[in-house]
Amino acid sequence: MEDSAGSNPQSVGLTEKFKSWLSWSWTYVCFIWLGMVLIMVYVLWSPLKLQETLASASVFLNTLTPKFYVALTGTSSLISGLILIFEWWYFRKYGTSFIEQVSVSHLRPLLGGVESTSTTGLFSSVNGEAEPRPSVSECKVWRNPLNLFRGAEYNRYTWVTGKEPLTYYDMNLSAQDHQTFFTGDTQQLRTEDAVMQKAWRERNPQARIRAAYQAIEMNHECAAAYVLLAEEEATTITEAERLFKKALSIAGKDINLLVYIKRRLAMCARKLGRIKEAVKMMRDLMKEFPLLGMLNIHENLLEALLELQAYADVQAVLAKYDDISLPKSATICYTSALLKARAVSDKFSPEAASRRGLSTAEMNAVEAIHRAVEFNPHVPKYLLEMKSLILPPEHILKRGDSEAVAYAFFHLQHWKRAEGALNLLHCTWEGTFRIIPYPLEKGHLFYPYPGCTETADRELLPSFHEVSVYPKKELPFFILFTAGLCSFTAILAMLTHQFPELMGVFAKAFFSTLFAPLGFFADKMESFMPSSFWHQLTRI
């Protein structure tokens, strides 16, 4: 036992050495293979009568008509064009090259490559210790605090345009939220609660509404059923508000229901123009349930206060929530930038600033804009109307395109109201990217921008929306290669069809030049090695 145990480290060491040698050998295997091929061709030149074979092949090629070459190059162009179309479609849909992905996943292990599971050395803290890069699991999806009403807003969009503004993934997350939020205690489920738990999982909206009415028949005081009807069946905000008030009157002491219903009632008041009432309801809700900060009710409050143009109150809310220990959001960062920009934007002039330099207030505003853009670089294009807006999803990914859509949808009007604020944003936002290191191994004020946002945003946002990607990805090599190959072969086909004799002369000159090094190599080998040696070797 001891001998075997003692021999294990040695066998492991031999295995590791063999693996390292194998990986090293793959690096030079192409050159070794090429050299062996050249040697084998030379050795077997006479026994296999390769010279006669090449001569007969050249005679055969000379007898081919130009139509054959037109067909050959045309077919090559067609095949490479089809590959190009598929590669382009795959890149637009998934953000990567199909050929590259298959090569990395299947060929890399054969070539001795190993996926790096550690990011040590890429991200280092001040103390020199490695900081892990944000992984996909850290790209947490959050409930959109200002999400719209399905029946009164999302469905109306569908009726008008025929497009679905919500993805199945987004709606499935909402169903999970409602199940957890309203029927968390599965040990004490009532009959109507079981019906409602199933109702949230239904994919068909009409099936959900029927299940809600079924729960109300079982118990006329099923508040969760009225919540579902207010969200999905009500076609106007007024009708939704009526159903929410009915649900509030029978909610009892269920804290989750009370918080959800009161928040939606405050949002109904905001949408119906009773903004002061909405602000009071939100403040009361935050005082009554101070521990529910993760619901981000303060973002609803900020938007309502901006509508009232109560900028001092907005600054007071920011002073509480724009804290270094609290998670940031686009609403927090861009609202802070808006307040600072508003103080100087009405008199800001790029020409004057370039001559005299930026004042302290202008510098603070520019720094706030840079901070906001670093947190979410997708927002400015929506605020500056360089990209078209869509209805915001029910869930967002912080620092992603989904959060940018949700923020701009509600806050674009506030930026437009502040005179010159969008002009200041337009002049300064791109300067942020000169501050952030590239590649994005380190952030400037925040953690490095996560690489998982594109995948999550594609799941959250509808297919008709062009997802904003940061940093902008360059076209993969294989798309450029197939595009060049398709164009080159198409040109060859056209030239061969138009000028067959000239292209024939060109092809002969090209192939003679191509095979000239091989002839040169064969002559050198003949002069270097005696013919008797090669004769004896071929006999062996």
Side-chain angles (χ1 to χ4, degrees):
M1 292 290 292
E2 290 179 1
D3 294 340
S4 62
S7 63
N8 282 338
Q10 185 177 2
S11 61
V12 171
L14 291 174
T15 304
E16 292 298 325
K17 287 182 179 179
F18 177 74
K19 287 182 178 180
S20 63
W21 176 85
L22 190 63
S23 299
W24 172 84
S25 66
W26 274 111
T27 307
Y28 304 98
V29 71
C30 293
F31 299 101
I32 297 173
W33 177 82
L34 180 61
M36 292 178 63
V37 167
L38 292 176
I39 293 174
M40 289 297 296
V41 167
Y42 182 80
V43 169
L44 300 176
W45 186 268
S46 297
L48 296 181
K49 300 180 178 180
L50 293 180
Q51 188 170 3
E52 291 81 352
T53 304
L54 287 176
S56 61
S58 62
V59 171
F60 172 75
L61 292 176
N62 289 330
T63 59
L64 293 175
T65 63
K67 291 183 178 180
F68 170 80
Y69 294 105
V70 173
L72 178 64
T73 52
T75 305
S76 302
S77 178
L78 176 62
I79 294 174
S80 56
L82 293 175
I83 296 174
L84 173 63
I85 293 172
F86 175 76
E87 276 283 294
W88 178 257
W89 169 82
Y90 196 88
F91 174 73
R92 296 281 293 179
K93 186 172 180 63
Y94 299 106
T96 185
S97 165
F98 175 78
I99 300 176
E100 181 180 343
Q101 187 179 30
V102 171
S103 302
V104 170
S105 58
H106 292 85
L107 299 182
R108 190 173 184 178
L110 298 177
L111 297 176
V114 180
E115 287 289 338
S116 178
T117 57
S118 173
T119 54
T120 305
L122 290 178
F123 304 99
S124 301
S125 63
V126 177
N127 298 327
E129 299 177 355
E131 292 183 356
R133 185 185 180 93
S135 62
V136 175
S137 61
E138 292 177 356
C139 287
K140 180 181 177 181
V141 174
W142 298 74
R143 181 83 176 174
N144 182 4
L146 288 89
N147 66 302
L148 305 177
F149 295 87
R150 285 192 188 177
E153 293 173 303
Y154 287 121
N155 285 350
R156 291 174 65 183
Y157 177 83
T158 303
W159 297 336
V160 173
T161 64
K163 298 178 180 179
E164 290 290 343
L166 297 176
T167 63
Y168 175 69
Y169 174 72
D170 191 14
M171 292 189 288
N172 188 47
L173 290 176
S174 297
Q176 295 175 17
D177 292 342
H178 292 144
Q179 282 182 274
T180 305
F181 209 60
F182 300 142
T183 55
D185 189 3
T186 56
Q187 300 296 328
Q188 300 178 354
L189 279 182
R190 298 170 297 180
T191 308
E192 62 272 18
D193 293 333
V195 173
M196 286 306 302
Q197 193 172 42
K198 183 180 178 182
W200 298 119
R201 292 198 301 267
E202 290 286 354
R203 188 167 184 176
N204 191 309
Q206 296 303 318
R208 291 195 292 269
I209 293 172
R210 285 196 299 269
Y213 277 115
Q214 182 183 351
I216 291 175
E217 289 177 2
M218 294 178 179
N219 183 1
H220 292 288
E221 295 188 351
C222 182
Y226 285 101
V227 168
L228 190 148
L229 294 177
E231 291 284 355
E232 305 217 17
E233 189 186 38
T235 56
T236 63
I237 301 298
T238 304
E239 187 179 355
E241 184 180 38
R242 179 183 62 80
L243 290 169
F244 275 122
K245 287 181 178 179
K246 174 66 176 177
L248 182 62
S249 65
I250 58 177
K253 297 181 179 180
D254 190 327
I255 294 178
N256 290 340
L257 267 173
L258 286 174
V259 172
Y260 186 90
I261 294 170
K262 288 183 177 181
R263 180 180 192 167
R264 295 304 260 176
L265 281 172
M267 295 176 69
C268 287
R270 162 68 182 91
K271 293 176 185 292
L272 293 172
R274 306 195 307 270
I275 305 172
K276 291 184 178 179
E277 178 186 344
V279 168
K280 183 180 183 306
M281 294 173 70
M282 293 173 192
R283 289 188 185 277
D284 292 342
L285 190 58
M286 293 167 66
K287 289 179 182 178
E288 188 176 358
F289 305 101
L291 299 179
L292 295 179
M294 62 179 180
L295 298 178
N296 297 322
I297 303 174
H298 59 275
E299 295 195 11
N300 299 80
L301 179 61
L302 283 172
E303 197 280 326
L305 290 173
L306 286 171
E307 182 63 22
L308 288 175
Q309 301 184 46
Y311 297 111
D313 292 336
V314 172
Q315 185 62 57
V317 175
L318 287 177
K320 181 178 180 181
Y321 289 96
D322 193 5
D323 186 85
I324 193 171
S325 62
L326 296 176
K328 298 293 183 291
S329 67
T331 301
I332 293 291
C333 295
Y334 277 90
T335 302
S336 177
L338 173 61
L339 292 189
K340 293 180 180 179
R342 175 181 166 272
V344 298
S345 59
D346 57 335
K347 299 178 182 178
F348 178 78
S349 170
E351 295 79 11
S354 62
R355 287 196 306 268
R356 59 173 171 78
L358 295 175
S359 64
T360 303
E362 289 173 338
M363 182 63 71
N364 291 337
V366 171
E367 289 177 353
I369 290 175
H370 286 175
R371 171 178 178 261
V373 173
E374 181 183 353
F375 182 83
N376 193 318
H378 310 286
V379 172
K381 287 190 176 181
Y382 293 108
L383 292 180
L384 298 172
E385 299 181 272
M386 299 166 65
K387 286 195 68 176
S388 58
L389 273 173
I390 60 171
L391 295 186
E394 293 183 337
H395 290 80
I396 60 174
L397 181 69
K398 289 191 175 182
R399 307 188 75 179
D401 190 35
S402 51
E403 184 191 36
V405 169
Y407 172 80
F409 185 85
F410 293 100
H411 289 262
L412 175 58
Q413 57 181 330
H414 307 314
W415 280 82
K416 286 184 175 181
R417 189 179 294 123
E419 183 182 355
L422 288 176
N423 178 47
L424 180 60
L425 176 67
H426 174 73
C427 295
T428 58
W429 74 278
E430 291 181 325
T432 309
F433 306 117
R434 291 192 292 270
I435 302 173
I436 304 173
Y438 188 85
L440 303 179
E441 298 178 354
K442 295 181 180 179
H444 180 60
L445 298 174
F446 299 100
Y447 286 109
Y449 190 81
C452 57
T453 57
E454 180 185 358
T455 304
D457 281 330
R458 290 186 187 277
E459 295 286 341
L460 292 171
L461 296 168
S463 58
F464 58 83
H465 173 72
E466 183 181 355
V467 175
S468 177
V469 179
Y470 175 79
K472 195 68 176 178
K473 290 187 176 180
E474 298 180 357
L475 285 177
F477 164 76
F478 287 105
I479 290 183
L480 300 175
F481 175 76
T482 51
L485 180 63
C486 178
S487 304
F488 178 69
T489 51
I491 292 172
L492 282 182
M494 183 182 66
L495 292 176
T496 306
H497 178 71
Q498 293 292 330
F499 311 103
E501 295 181 0
L502 181 62
M503 290 301 295
V505 173
F506 174 78
K508 291 178 181 178
F510 173 77
F511 283 112
S512 62
T513 306
L514 182 66
F515 288 109
L518 183 62
F520 177 78
F521 175 77
D523 293 340
K524 287 296 182 183
M525 291 294 292
E526 282 284 355
S527 61
F528 182 74
M529 293 289 185
S531 57
S532 59
F533 174 79
W534 291 114
H535 179 68
Q536 295 298 328
L537 187 63
T538 52
R539 289 184 61 184
I540 295 174

